[in-house]
């Protein structure tokens, strides 16, 4: 009997070769603010059909940065290195190929740039929604979202972080959490805290900070039949060093997962509009809301209660924009105007400012420009008065008209002097100007004469058509504060990522191209 022959099939593994690209990083000089401009730039390293984005830091200077391509990528593939993002503080001087996978990258420090990254998006968790204020001691407080969930309130955990700068914004403290969301799949009101809105009381220096909070996506809120977007309130009475829930400074202990105690003032906000059973309940009620982020406006002239009046404009799901006010620094709230009035039914995220005569101008986000409306008092003490009709800034002569993006910005009224040294009053309005969220600019207008703001159309007319160009790349929300040195502290979102948070101080002369100072 013949024995069967056995054949053993030996399968050899297919070797996956990795290719490593070496970047020799060189840096010439130092920036004005190396602590906050420590990122040199972002490169795109292409190897065959695969690519990597690499963020280079100043600490990489004089070193070799390795970029490895694996996943079956065979060695010896063609490599190309290009600039993906130019970052503030450094200029790319040269990219030189030494060999296919060996490159030299040279940066020059921009010694004149005043731009600083307070938070840089170098991980999957973005930073968003800036708020900035000048504290009573002259320091600068910058606050914004940190979003572990990657998106807005309702999608998961959202935290609040802060940094404090000196009076000129040249040095900043390390970043820290004000409060952290404690997201739970079952959903509670401390899941997240987002879209900060801030004001510093002009007499006491107390900081009032408001947020939207919770687990409800804004479009799904349905007060009083379901959970709305809740509202959180917090105070600091020591220039942002500590935070708590009370004006007295005697705060409750912080809840687990949070770094500061806070108060839920949801019912105060929603309840002032309409309650079930009241006349015109369906017309007047607000189903869901959040406050326009950035700067809360405090009156320069109206003090009826314990503090000068503060205005909080809100987005609402069902009735466009409404405006609330407080005469006791956020302890109680009222509606500005009658409950039946709708200041801007088509408005999106809003901002407010006080005009020289004490009237209140509403500036609301819309595609390609802004909506403007004005509330005029008949009696400041009782807050009696009425809203006019909103106007589209694109329909005014020399109005604000830009690209089709719909993004919020900031409105601010400042005092300046013209070339002849005469005191004037300027209105500033920031917003992105591209068809996408790009090219944040600052429009400006002289409103010294009362005729320039005696109606919404008058206010919408006559803006300078050469706005100051703050950002030349992808950029979105922005806000402003008047610093003690007379400059405008400008804080805004900018790519790379969604987003990095950038601070830059700007003089009135810069913004107006030398027309005012």
């Amino acid at each position: 009997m013949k024995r069967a022959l056995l054949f053993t099939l030996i399968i050899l593994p297919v070797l996956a070769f990795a290719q490593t690209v070496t970047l020799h990083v060189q840096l010439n000089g130092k920036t004005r603010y190396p602590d906050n401009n420590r990122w040199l730039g972002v490169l795109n390293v292409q190897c065959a059909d695969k690519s990597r984005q690499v963020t280079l830091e100043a600490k990489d200077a004089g070193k070799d940065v390795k970029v490895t391509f694996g996943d079956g990528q065979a060695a010896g593939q063609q490599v190309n290195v290009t600039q993906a993002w130019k970052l503030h503080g450094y200029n790319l001087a040269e990219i030189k190929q030494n060999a296919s996978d060996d490159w030299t990258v040279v940066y020059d420090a921009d010694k004149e740039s005043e731009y600083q990254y307070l938070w840089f998006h170098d991980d999957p968790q973005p930073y968003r929604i800036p708020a900035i204020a000048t504290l009573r001691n002259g320091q600068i407080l910058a606050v914004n979202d940190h979003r572990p969930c990657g998106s807005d309130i309702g999608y998961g955990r959202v935290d609040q972080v802060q940094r404090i700068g000196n009076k000129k914004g040249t040095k900043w403290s390390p970043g820290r959490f004000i409060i952290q969301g404690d997201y739970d799949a079952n959903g509670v009101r401390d899941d997240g805290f987002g879209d900060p809105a801030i004001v510093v009381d002009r007499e006491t220096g107390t900081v009032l900070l408001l947020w939207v909070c919770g687990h409800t996506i804004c479009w799904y809120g349905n007060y009083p039949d379901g959970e709305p977007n809740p509202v959180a309130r917090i105070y600091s009475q020591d220039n942002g060093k500590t935070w708590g829930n009370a004006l007295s400074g005697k705060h409750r202990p912080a809840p687990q997962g949070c770094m500061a105690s806070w108060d839920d003032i949801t019912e105060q906000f929603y309840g002032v509009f309409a309650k079930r059973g009241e006349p015109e309940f369906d017309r007047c009620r607000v189903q869901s809301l959040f406050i326009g982020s950035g700067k809360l406006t405090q009156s320069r002239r109206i003090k009826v209660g314990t503090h000068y009046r503060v205005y909080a404009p809100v987005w609402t799901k069902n009735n466009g924009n409404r405006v609330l006010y407080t005469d006791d620094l956020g302890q109680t709230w009222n509606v500005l105007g009658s409950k039946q009035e709708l200041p801007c039914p088509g408005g999106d995220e809003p901002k407010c400012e006080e005009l020289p005569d004490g009237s209140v101008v509403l500036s609301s986000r819309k595609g390609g420009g802004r909506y403007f409306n004005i509330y005029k008092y008949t009696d400041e003490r009782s807050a009696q008065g009425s809203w006019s009709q909103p106007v589209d800034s694109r329909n005014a002569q020399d109005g604000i008209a830009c690209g089709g993006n719909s993004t919020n910005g900031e409105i601010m009224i400042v005092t300046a002097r013209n070339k002849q040294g005469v005191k004037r009053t300027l209105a500033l309005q920031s917003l992105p100007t591209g068809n996408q969220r790009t090219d944040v600019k600052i429009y400006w207008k002289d409103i010294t004469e009362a005729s320039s703001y005696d109606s919404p159309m008058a206010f919408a007319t006559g803006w300078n058509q050469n706005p100051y160009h703050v950002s030349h790349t992808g950029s979105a929300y922005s806000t402003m504060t008047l610093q003690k040195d007379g400059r405008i502290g400008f804080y805004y979102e900018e790519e790379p990522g969604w987003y990095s948070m950038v601070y830059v101080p700007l003089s009135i002369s810069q913004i107006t191209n030398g027309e005012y100072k």
Side-chain angles (χ1 to χ4, degrees), residues 174-227:
R176 72 176 184 91
F177 288 98
I178 298 176
I179 199 164
Q180 293 175 281
D182 188 22
Y183 185 73
D184 187 310
N186 295 322
V188 290
R189 287 189 172 181
D190 64 358
D191 284 348
F193 301 85
D195 288 37
I198 194 168
V199 67
V200 179
D201 182 60
R202 66 177 64 259
E203 289 186 313
T204 65
T206 299
V207 185
L208 166 64
L209 185 53
L210 302 176
W211 300 296
V212 62
C213 65
H215 61 273
T216 302
I217 297 171
C218 61
W219 290 107
Y220 299 159
N222 189 28
Y223 179 87
D225 300 316
E227 179 74 349

Side-chain angles (χ1 to χ4, degrees), residues 43 81-83 92-97 103-107:
L43 299 180
V81 180
T82 57
Q83 179 171 256
L92 180 60
E94 182 182 21
I95 298 178
K96 183 173 66 175
Q97 184 176 5
W103 296 71
T104 297
V105 183
V106 182
Y107 284 92

Side-chain angles (χ1 to χ4, degrees), residues 195 212 233 258 369 471:
D195 288 37
V212 62
R233 180 187 65 202
C258 296
S471 173

Side-chain angles (χ1 to χ4, degrees), residues 14 68 77 89 179 182 191 206 211 255 266 273 345 372 376 481:
V14 177
T68 300
Q77 296 294 318
I179 199 164
D182 188 22
D191 284 348
T206 299
W211 300 296
T266 306
F273 293 106
F372 290 123
K376 292 191 174 183
T481 187

Side-chain angles (χ1 to χ4, degrees), residues 322-334:
R322 310 291 285 272
V323 179
L324 294 89
Y325 73 92
T326 175
D327 287 331
D328 52 17
L329 203 62
Q331 294 292 291
T332 58
W333 294 88
N334 298 284

Side-chain angles (χ1 to χ4, degrees), residues 61-234:
K63 299 178 181 178
D64 293 342
V65 175
K66 306 287 187 179
V67 185
T68 300
F69 293 84
D71 303 324
Q73 178 71 61
Q77 296 294 318
Q78 181 63 40
V79 174
N80 192 34
V81 180
T82 57
Q83 179 171 256
W85 294 103
K86 180 190 182 305
L87 302 183
H88 297 296
Y90 298 94
N91 297 316
L92 180 60
E94 182 182 21
I95 298 178
K96 183 173 66 175
Q97 184 176 5
N98 307 313
S100 176
D101 53 5
D102 189 89
W103 296 71
T104 297
V105 183
V106 182
Y107 284 92
D108 291 336
D110 184 347
K111 299 179 181 180
E112 302 302 318
S113 176
E114 295 255 50
Y115 288 77
Q116 299 178 61
Y117 293 94
L118 299 192
W119 300 92
F120 185 79
H121 180 114
D122 56 357
D123 60 43
Q125 299 180 357
Y127 298 96
R128 287 221 56 196
I129 318 297
I132 193 168
T134 301
L135 299 167
R136 191 180 189 187
N137 63 5
Q139 293 180 324
I140 305 165
L141 173 65
V143 179
N144 51 266
D145 286 10
H146 169 246
R147 294 182 166 183
C149 74
S151 191
D152 294 310
I153 292 293
Y155 293 94
R157 174 181 162 186
V158 180
D159 308 324
Q160 290 294 300
V161 293
Q162 72 168 43
R163 294 187 70 177
I164 296 177
N166 63 7
K167 294 179 182 180
K168 293 186 177 182
T170 57
K171 295 182 179 180
W172 291 82
S173 67
R176 72 176 184 91
F177 288 98
I178 298 176
I179 199 164
Q180 293 175 281
D182 188 22
Y183 185 73
D184 187 310
N186 295 322
V188 290
R189 287 189 172 181
D190 64 358
D191 284 348
F193 301 85
D195 288 37
I198 194 168
V199 67
V200 179
D201 182 60
R202 66 177 64 259
E203 289 186 313
T204 65
T206 299
V207 185
L208 166 64
L209 185 53
L210 302 176
W211 300 296
V212 62
C213 65
H215 61 273
T216 302
I217 297 171
C218 61
W219 290 107
Y220 299 159
N222 189 28
Y223 179 87
D225 300 316
E227 179 74 349
N229 268 136
V231 181
R233 180 187 65 202
I234 201 167

